[in-house]
Amino acid sequence: MDDSFNHADPIYTSWEVEDPLGRDRDTDLVVVTTRRALCRMAFVAAETATRFERDGIDHDPVAWMMTPRRLFDGESALDACLDRTGFKRAVILHSLCFGMDAMPQQIDDLMDDDDDFEEDEIEKAFAQSQAPGHNGRMRMIGKGQVTLAVPHCRTSVPYAPPRESSRRAHRPKLKRRAEALGAMKAHP
């Protein structure tokens, strides 16, 4: 991981920040995005500021958000974190305190290969949570969108630890992640 900022590095030579207090112009870049993408960016901005405060990093979090990074293939976090991949890279970088920048592959090795649920799995889980006698934690927030909600009362469903077969299935994936993390720490 690289904690230094090298002004001579070509990745940092051409970037521009618009004055947020200036009036909008016809020449300003128009970004069409979703609310989900804006939430990703807001989350990364908050995570960045929190980490810098918590770890005593003497760097402006807004400058970090606006500066091109190798982590985002030369884009700034402001642009890259609108996308899910950039968002996940930033969250991992800050959550594990891996410095200010990293090579994308170092972080991608830690990401989950199968983190997407199939739509029918989500619908099935939602239907189960709404069944009579089940103190459901899922609720609909829009067409096809489901979120988890923590009820104010205890659930009657007892906790069951994962079966040994499911634990065994995740061991190779966890081993790969541990190896990638060890390699990152061994070669900063």
Side-chain angles (χ1 to χ4, degrees):
M1 304 306 140
D2 187 11
D3 287 329
S4 64
F5 179 81
N6 179 359
H7 291 280
D9 192 326
I11 200 169
Y12 304 118
T13 57
S14 62
W15 60 286
E16 178 183 321
V17 177
E18 296 83 4
D19 178 7
L21 293 175
R23 295 192 184 277
D24 291 343
R25 299 180 183 157
D26 291 338
T27 58
D28 286 350
L29 178 66
V30 175
V31 178
V32 178
T33 190
T34 64
R35 182 173 171 84
R36 183 181 314 272
L38 290 174
C39 289
R40 288 181 188 129
M41 190 200 29
F43 184 92
V44 169
E47 182 68 21
T48 302
T50 301
R51 177 186 171 210
F52 286 10
E53 178 69 25
R54 178 186 67 229
D55 295 349
I57 297 173
D58 188 27
H59 192 76
D60 181 11
V62 174
W64 187 89
M65 291 288 296
M66 304 297 262
T67 305
R69 304 265 166 217
R70 283 187 185 82
L71 179 64
F72 307 120
D73 301 314
E75 290 186 9
S76 69
L78 182 71
D79 296 319
C81 291
L82 293 172
D83 178 63
R84 188 167 175 258
T85 301
F87 168 75
K88 288 169 51 173
R89 287 177 180 170
V91 169
I92 290 172
L93 179 87
H94 289 309
S95 297
L96 299 178
C97 302
F98 282 151
M100 304 286 273
D101 204 355
M103 297 305 289
Q105 190 58 43
Q106 293 174 311
I107 301 295
D108 291 348
D109 288 343
L110 298 173
M111 284 198 250
D112 198 1
D113 298 335
D114 57 352
D115 59 351
D116 289 340
F117 290 103
E118 297 295 324
E119 278 298 317
D120 55 345
E121 291 178 44
I122 293 172
E123 291 174 11
K124 180 180 173 185
F126 180 73
Q128 288 175 347
S129 75
Q130 302 303 308
H134 189 277
N135 213 356
R137 294 176 183 240
M138 298 180 83
R139 62 185 168 104
M140 293 294 276
I141 57 172
K143 184 178 179 183
Q145 294 180 333
V146 176
T147 187
L148 291 175
V150 179
H152 296 290
C153 55
R154 293 178 169 252
T155 180
S156 59
V157 179
Y159 169 75
R163 296 186 313 252
E164 184 60 33
S165 61
S166 68
R167 287 184 191 154
R168 220 176 284 124
H170 290 289
R171 285 184 184 150
K173 189 184 306 181
L174 293 174
K175 184 178 178 185
R176 284 194 316 268
R177 288 185 188 157
E179 289 169 355
L181 184 58
M184 289 171 68
K185 288 184 177 181
H187 297 77

